Amino acid sequence: MKKDIIIVGGGIIGLMSAYSLCRSGRSVTIIDKGDITNGTSFGNAGMLSAFGKNPLSNPGVLLDTLKLMLKGESPVNFHPTLDLNLYKWLWNFAISSNKARLKKTLILFERYGRISLDMYSSMTQDDKMDFHFCQDGLLMIYTEQKSFDKKVRLCRDNTKYEVFTKQKTKEYMPLVNDKIIGSILLKENGHLDPALLMNELKTYLLNKGIEMLLDEEVQRLEYKQNKITKIHTQKMTYEADTFILSTGADDSLSRQVKNNFLMTPAKGYSITFEMKEELKPKTSTLFADLFVAMTPRKNTVRMTSKLELGSANPNIVKKQIDSIYENLALYTHSFEKENIVEWTGFRPLTPDDMPIIGYDENYTNLIHATGLGWLGITFAPAIGKIMSDLITKDKDNKSNLDVLLFSAFYQG
Ligand SMILES: Cc1cc2nc3c(=O)[nH]c(=O)nc-3n(C[C@H](O)[C@H](O)[C@H](O)COP(=O)(O)OP(=O)(O)OC[C@H]3O[C@@H](n4cnc5c(N)ncnc54)[C@H](O)[C@@H]3O)c2cc1C
């Protein structure tokens, strides 16, 4: 039987799209090649960081990265590859990192960050989901005087920011040593436990009658003229009125229909462990110059870092894990960790931090929803809502202001 909407990919973007579509009364089937238990949407830091924090593509990023590389503290690794798309991506990243773009990106981040925070809040209150949603700010710890001074100059509005001395920083993050410079609390941000969020959403959607077909990989899209007519998995063939591709960093299906999006998988790591309660950070914390994050959760703490470009290796590389520990050890006292779980995943990263969202140019019933990079959890509710508006109200890209503003399809 023909289905109403098929979503390929049950990461946070697929599930939040299903959530909004379901609330609009639509019938949704989610197909995932895995079992939706441990993908990128599970192992990330869970920071909701849309406010006051620069995007990756910001002026000076290349020089700063180079300096950290020379100091041996860089989170970025580049693996030379024959994939020309990566070099095109790097070129576009370099030209996107300019002041005019930064201004626009910060405004867009606030707009879609606000929508998402409000939706997370209503999911906890109205739908009674429990995913450890906290709106208690993001602490940015600085280890370089120059970058701290530069950020302090921008943080004059004390309703949004609070600048902390070294001493005050220790109240929030008892682990830090005297080598840090100071910190800034970005008050509007928050954090959550992404694995709890994914599990709560899955349960909610199943209770609402959403169909989930797991361990089925969509291998081929079949099309006729300007429509996708069928999709084929290794088990079955399905038909639907509308298809959403939310396959994260895996763009093989969109390539099948001749889309060569500027998106690259950026590998990252997380390390989750138990530690003494009194040593835990009081809120989500980012060592801004090192790109190492620590997020407190109900019973554990999660550390995340690394941005590896050009790697397709899905395995945990011990050298990378060791380097996260080494970088952090420079600015913290040593502490005991128990029940350590190491994890790795790929961010679907675009060069200008803009997501790839909207109807396909050639197929009128195909919608793309990916490219959320390092901010997929932060913006997923807003993206889900845009998907629902596109299908239930607007019907095309030009009628949807959010797609025109935010999608990578329409950036200068
Ligand atoms: C180390 C790290 C830390 C991060 N920290 C944060 C953070 O603090 N805050 C934040 O906002 N974001 C963070 N992110 C980014 C965030 O995790 C991602 O942006 C987000 O999870 C992407 O979600 P997605 O749904 O697009 O992709 P995914 O979660 O990857 O989901 C895609 C799904 O599609 C399925 N799929 C793919 N191809 C097929 C196919 N052919 N057939 C069927 N199914 C298919 C996959 O199995 C997968 O389940 C972090 C990422 C990493 C790696």
Side-chain angles (χ1 to χ4, degrees):
M1 200 183 72
K2 195 173 185 184
K3 297 182 186 297
D4 179 9
I5 299 161
I6 289 183
I7 298 179
V8 184
I12 190 60
I13 301 301
L15 296 197
M16 281 309 308
S17 300
Y19 173 84
S20 279
L21 283 161
C22 168
R23 288 172 74 90
S24 306
R26 299 300 290 260
S27 160
V28 179
T29 298
I30 296 171
I31 305 183
D32 200 286
K33 67 180 175 187
D35 57 0
I36 318 189
T37 54
N38 196 29
T40 301
S41 295
F42 284 79
N44 62 75
M47 293 192 301
L48 306 171
S49 52
F51 303 94
K53 195 169 163 300
N54 279 351
L56 276 188
S57 55
N58 75 83
V61 66
L62 294 175
L63 197 65
D64 292 346
T65 307
L66 210 62
K67 280 185 199 157
L68 280 175
M69 276 177 168
L70 292 174
K71 277 176 83 179
E73 292 175 14
S74 174
V76 181
N77 292 88
F78 180 72
H79 303 268
T81 153
L82 293 176
D83 179 5
L84 288 181
N85 215 36
L86 179 60
Y87 298 99
K88 209 169 153 196
W89 187 98
L90 281 170
W91 170 250
N92 277 272
F93 177 73
I95 56 174
S96 301
S97 307
N98 63 66
K99 273 191 185 160
R101 262 231 69 86
L102 175 66
K103 219 170 174 179
K104 181 178 174 192
T105 304
L106 289 175
I107 292 168
L108 290 173
F109 278 11
E110 287 203 8
R111 177 184 165 99
Y112 295 102
R114 178 67 54 215
I115 294 171
S116 293
L117 277 187
D118 289 349
M119 280 180 70
Y120 278 135
S121 179
S122 85
M123 284 159 69
T124 58
Q125 280 162 27
D126 305 340
D127 302 321
K128 307 283 175 247
M129 291 190 211
D130 177 10
F131 42 82
H132 198 220
F133 173 58
C134 305
Q135 280 185 280
D136 48 8
L138 164 66
L139 187 71
M140 304 270 283
I141 297 183
Y142 288 83
T143 50
E144 302 282 329
Q145 189 70 52
K146 212 170 149 197
S147 54
F148 182 57
D149 294 344
K150 193 171 155 196
K151 188 72 182 170
V152 169
R153 281 198 292 277
L154 296 171
C155 296
R156 290 194 205 98
D157 182 347
N158 59 14
T159 61
K160 296 181 174 176
Y161 310 105
E162 200 169 345
V163 178
F164 291 159
T165 59
K166 206 179 276 191
Q167 209 46 45
K168 179 82 181 171
T169 304
K170 288 180 184 172
E171 286 173 26
Y172 267 75
M173 177 69 169
L175 280 180
V176 290
N177 64 27
D178 279 330
K179 284 196 204 148
I180 64 144
I181 309 291
S183 65
I184 301 170
L185 184 67
L186 310 182
K187 292 181 186 176
E188 295 167 289
N189 293 304
H191 61 98
L192 51 75
D193 181 329
L196 280 181
L197 168 68
M198 289 294 289
N199 288 329
E200 288 280 276
L201 256 174
K202 234 165 96 180
T203 308
Y204 174 93
L205 293 171
L206 287 169
N207 286 339
K208 293 282 176 191
I210 297 290
E211 185 182 24
M212 286 195 201
L213 307 173
L214 304 184
D215 299 313
E216 278 199 56
E217 177 167 9
V218 176
Q219 296 174 328
R220 192 163 65 83
L221 304 179
E222 191 176 322
Y223 45 86
K224 200 169 186 185
Q225 288 159 348
N226 64 348
K227 280 208 183 292
I228 302 294
T229 48
K230 290 177 185 154
I231 58 171
H232 301 271
T233 72
Q234 78 276 29
K235 296 179 188 166
M236 291 285 284
T237 295
Y238 301 98
E239 292 179 50
D241 290 325
T242 309
F243 298 90
I244 298 180
L245 291 187
S246 52
T247 51
D250 184 340
D251 63 354
S252 40
L253 291 176
S254 45
R255 278 175 193 255
Q256 265 185 33
V257 280
K258 310 267 180 302
N259 287 301
N260 203 0
F261 295 137
L262 266 185
M263 179 175 85
T264 197
K267 191 173 175 184
Y269 288 81
S270 70
I271 308 165
T272 309
F273 48 83
E274 289 164 21
M275 64 184 282
K276 279 189 180 156
E277 198 58 37
E278 63 270 25
L279 293 179
K280 276 179 159 183
K282 300 286 174 280
T283 184
S284 58
T285 300
L286 180 71
F287 286 82
D289 301 308
L290 302 175
F291 197 60
V292 177
M294 268 182 107
T295 321
R297 298 137 59 82
K298 270 185 187 148
N299 302 313
T300 55
V301 166
R302 176 167 287 172
M303 228 156 81
T304 57
S305 189
K306 294 290 167 194
L307 197 133
E308 275 188 79
L309 300 174
S311 166
N313 175 2
N315 302 319
I316 291 169
V317 176
K318 192 172 174 310
K319 197 172 94 183
Q320 297 293 353
I321 295 277
D322 289 346
S323 123
I324 300 174
Y325 286 133
E326 282 159 22
N327 280 349
L328 194 76
L330 295 171
Y331 301 98
T332 56
H333 302 292
S334 63
F335 60 102
E336 277 176 29
K337 302 176 256 323
E338 280 179 14
N339 297 323
I340 300 173
V341 179
E342 295 166 353
W343 171 95
T344 186
F346 292 91
R347 306 169 186 90
L349 201 64
T350 58
D352 54 5
D353 295 285
M354 294 291 113
I356 296 165
I357 48 172
Y359 276 98
D360 188 88
E361 272 196 350
N362 297 314
Y363 301 96
T364 56
N365 62 342
L366 178 65
I367 304 183
H368 301 278
T370 186
L372 272 300
W374 55 288
L375 287 166
I377 303 295
T378 303
F379 294 131
I383 302 295
K385 185 176 173 304
I386 295 170
M387 290 299 116
S388 172
D389 288 347
L390 265 179
I391 293 173
T392 60
K393 292 196 292 203
D394 302 325
K395 318 281 185 200
D396 57 27
N397 291 349
K398 66 177 183 294
S399 310
N400 186 295
L401 185 64
D402 296 310
V403 168
L404 296 179
L405 276 173
F406 201 25
S407 175
F409 291 157
Y410 301 102
Q411 305 301 315

